[in-house]
Amino acid sequence: MKKISLFILGIALTGLFQQCAVSRQISEAKTLGDCKYAIASADNITLAGIDVRQFRNMQDFDLAKSPRLALALLSQDVPLNLRLNLDVTNPTKQQAGINQFEYKVFLSENEVFTGFWDQRIDVQPNGGTTRVPMQLSTNAYRLLTDAKARDAFVNMVENLSGKAGSQPSKLTIKLRPTLGIGNSQINYPGYITIEKEVTAKMLAGE
C-alpha cells in the first residue's frame, strides 16, 4: 500500500512539475513579445555562391560580368545565404526566453526566408541583451524574376553589399515560439512581429 501511495505521489509531482514548466515557458515567451529588437548587422552574405559585396557597383546584376549568377538563373537555383544578427533587449522585470521558434522573413510583403530555430535563447530582465545569429537561406530565383518582387530584392542586396546611397529596405520578421510539453511541441498562438529597416551600414566589418 505504501509503494502504491508513493507511486501516485510521484505521478502527481511529475504532473505538477510539468505544469510549472509549461507555465514558465508561457511566461518567458510572453515576455519575449515585450522585448525590443534591432538588426545589429548582417554577414557571411552570398548570392549564388558569390560574396554579395561584388554586386556593390553592378547595375541591375550585369550577367555578362557574373557568369556564375547567369548559370544559377538558367538552372532556376539562386541560393541566397546570410547571417542576420538580431539583438533582443528585455526592458521588463521578468525573464524572457524560448527553446525554439518558427520564423518567417518578409521583404515588402514577399516571403523571403522561412525556417526553424532550435537553440535556447535567454534574455535577462532589466535591460539584458542577447544576440541571436539567425542563419538564413533561400532560393532567390523567384525574387529576381518576379517583376513585383525584383526591385525590392535588388535594393535589399545593394544594402547588404554596403552600396552607398541605397534606399533602406523594410524587413518584417515574424517569430512564433514553440512550447515543449512532454514529448509534444505546441505552437504559441500568434506571432511576434518585428519590422526593421536594412541599410548599407549594417554590413559587418564595414
Side-chain angles (χ1 to χ4, degrees), residues 18 34 44 115 144 158:
Q18 286 183 343
D34 295 327
N44 298 333
L144 281 169
E158 287 180 341

PDB file of all heavy atoms in Angstrom, residues 18 34 44 115 144 158:
ATOM      1  N   GLN A  18       5.573  19.390 -14.552  1.00  0.00           N
ATOM      2  CA  GLN A  18       5.323  19.661 -15.959  1.00  0.00           C
ATOM      3  C   GLN A  18       4.469  20.913 -16.123  1.00  0.00           C
ATOM      4  O   GLN A  18       4.712  21.741 -17.009  1.00  0.00           O
ATOM      5  CB  GLN A  18       4.636  18.463 -16.623  1.00  0.00           C
ATOM      6  CG  GLN A  18       5.561  17.276 -16.859  1.00  0.00           C
ATOM      7  CD  GLN A  18       4.866  16.138 -17.584  1.00  0.00           C
ATOM      8  OE1 GLN A  18       3.639  16.094 -17.638  1.00  0.00           O
ATOM      9  NE2 GLN A  18       5.641  15.227 -18.136  1.00  0.00           N
ATOM     10  N   ASP A  34       7.461  41.265 -25.409  1.00  0.00           N
ATOM     11  CA  ASP A  34       7.604  42.640 -24.900  1.00  0.00           C
ATOM     12  C   ASP A  34       9.019  43.183 -25.069  1.00  0.00           C
ATOM     13  O   ASP A  34       9.295  44.318 -24.677  1.00  0.00           O
ATOM     14  CB  ASP A  34       7.221  42.690 -23.415  1.00  0.00           C
ATOM     15  CG  ASP A  34       5.748  42.360 -23.184  1.00  0.00           C
ATOM     16  OD1 ASP A  34       4.930  42.696 -24.062  1.00  0.00           O
ATOM     17  OD2 ASP A  34       5.430  41.769 -22.134  1.00  0.00           O
ATOM     18  N   ASN A  44      28.493  37.137 -43.741  1.00  0.00           N
ATOM     19  CA  ASN A  44      28.550  35.860 -44.481  1.00  0.00           C
ATOM     20  C   ASN A  44      27.476  35.809 -45.572  1.00  0.00           C
ATOM     21  O   ASN A  44      26.752  34.823 -45.711  1.00  0.00           O
ATOM     22  CB  ASN A  44      28.378  34.674 -43.515  1.00  0.00           C
ATOM     23  CG  ASN A  44      29.479  34.600 -42.486  1.00  0.00           C
ATOM     24  OD1 ASN A  44      30.588  35.060 -42.709  1.00  0.00           O
ATOM     25  ND2 ASN A  44      29.172  34.023 -41.328  1.00  0.00           N
ATOM     26  N   GLY A 115      12.011  29.220 -41.676  1.00  0.00           N
ATOM     27  CA  GLY A 115      12.871  28.243 -41.034  1.00  0.00           C
ATOM     28  C   GLY A 115      12.488  27.998 -39.597  1.00  0.00           C
ATOM     29  O   GLY A 115      11.420  28.448 -39.126  1.00  0.00           O
ATOM     30  N   LEU A 144      14.258  37.337 -58.166  1.00  0.00           N
ATOM     31  CA  LEU A 144      14.980  38.003 -59.250  1.00  0.00           C
ATOM     32  C   LEU A 144      14.185  38.045 -60.551  1.00  0.00           C
ATOM     33  O   LEU A 144      14.463  38.874 -61.417  1.00  0.00           O
ATOM     34  CB  LEU A 144      16.316  37.299 -59.500  1.00  0.00           C
ATOM     35  CG  LEU A 144      17.438  37.626 -58.513  1.00  0.00           C
ATOM     36  CD1 LEU A 144      18.607  36.665 -58.700  1.00  0.00           C
ATOM     37  CD2 LEU A 144      17.906  39.067 -58.697  1.00  0.00           C
ATOM     38  N   GLU A 158      21.644  45.434 -52.593  1.00  0.00           N
ATOM     39  CA  GLU A 158      22.528  46.594 -52.624  1.00  0.00           C
ATOM     40  C   GLU A 158      22.843  47.075 -51.205  1.00  0.00           C
ATOM     41  O   GLU A 158      23.976  47.443 -50.895  1.00  0.00           O
ATOM     42  CB  GLU A 158      21.900  47.719 -53.443  1.00  0.00           C
ATOM     43  CG  GLU A 158      21.902  47.453 -54.938  1.00  0.00           C
ATOM     44  CD  GLU A 158      21.270  48.579 -55.740  1.00  0.00           C
ATOM     45  OE1 GLU A 158      20.524  49.384 -55.140  1.00  0.00           O
ATOM     46  OE2 GLU A 158      21.516  48.650 -56.963  1.00  0.00           O
TER      47      GLU A 158
END
